[in-house]
Amino acid sequence: MKILITYSSKTGNTEKIAKAIHKAVPNASLLPISEIIDLNYDLIFIGGWIDRATFDQTSLTLAKQIFDKNVAYFFTLGAYPYSEHAKDCVNNIETLLKNNKNNIFGGYFCQGAIDPKLISWFSTLPPDHKMAPSEERRQRWEDAKSHPNQIDLENATQFGLNIISKYQ
């Protein structure tokens, strides 16, 4: 059985999750998306960070090229994992993968630290902008700094084990 764990990571958060999944599936190829040569795998774990309620452009481009495969997905996001935004992300990613006739075995996501450049950009927005800093947003950004934490990584490893047990 040929398995691929692939990811796009801007700040290192998603790479940490990919490596945690790899602990559960050590016989899998672990590659950044930029190093993929082909998609000739029996099972593909695809991961990315969230941008505008879906995968970042690198992960999104790859996901659009995966057809008729067994897949699992993972991502990190600055929002809380129980938020409506996280639910939207799951829905958008699953819709894309399903539309390409893939068999989805599951997904995993957790909060991840936000790129400081993005926080800096948010801080330049006018107060009436929907993405302008608020006390709630600042608290979420602060909370995100500690993720992915050890529990997130352990959960990612367990996710990998669960997917493999479903697949076999």
Side-chain angles (χ1 to χ4, degrees), residues 88-121:
D88 290 343
C89 297
V90 167
N91 183 54
N92 293 337
I93 291 167
E94 287 191 359
T95 298
L96 169 64
L97 293 171
K98 286 177 186 173
N99 285 346
N100 286 354
K101 310 288 188 236
N102 293 299
N103 182 21
I104 302 173
F105 277 78
Y108 175 76
F109 55 96
C110 67
Q111 196 170 26
I114 301 166
D115 183 349
K117 291 177 187 172
L118 186 58
I119 290 174
S120 183
W121 178 79

Side-chain angles (χ1 to χ4, degrees), residues 60-96:
L60 188 61
T61 298
L62 178 64
K64 289 177 179 179
Q65 297 172 18
I66 300 173
F67 289 89
D68 297 313
K69 295 286 187 178
N70 295 310
V71 297
Y73 65 89
F74 59 99
F75 62 83
T76 57
L77 74 165
Y80 294 116
Y82 51 80
S83 67
E84 285 302 313
H85 181 63
K87 290 177 191 172
D88 290 343
C89 297
V90 167
N91 183 54
N92 293 337
I93 291 167
E94 287 191 359
T95 298
L96 169 64

Side-chain angles (χ1 to χ4, degrees), residues 18-60:
K19 288 178 177 179
I21 294 168
H22 192 246
K23 281 185 181 180
V25 194
N27 59 324
S29 297
L30 175 64
L31 297 171
I33 290 171
S34 61
E35 294 180 19
I36 293 175
I37 295 170
D38 64 55
L39 293 172
N40 187 25
Y41 291 88
D42 302 306
L43 174 62
I44 298 172
F45 289 82
I46 178 172
W49 48 279
I50 294 300
D51 185 21
R52 297 182 180 106
T54 192
F55 275 145
D56 64 276
Q57 193 57 55
T58 300
S59 299
L60 188 61

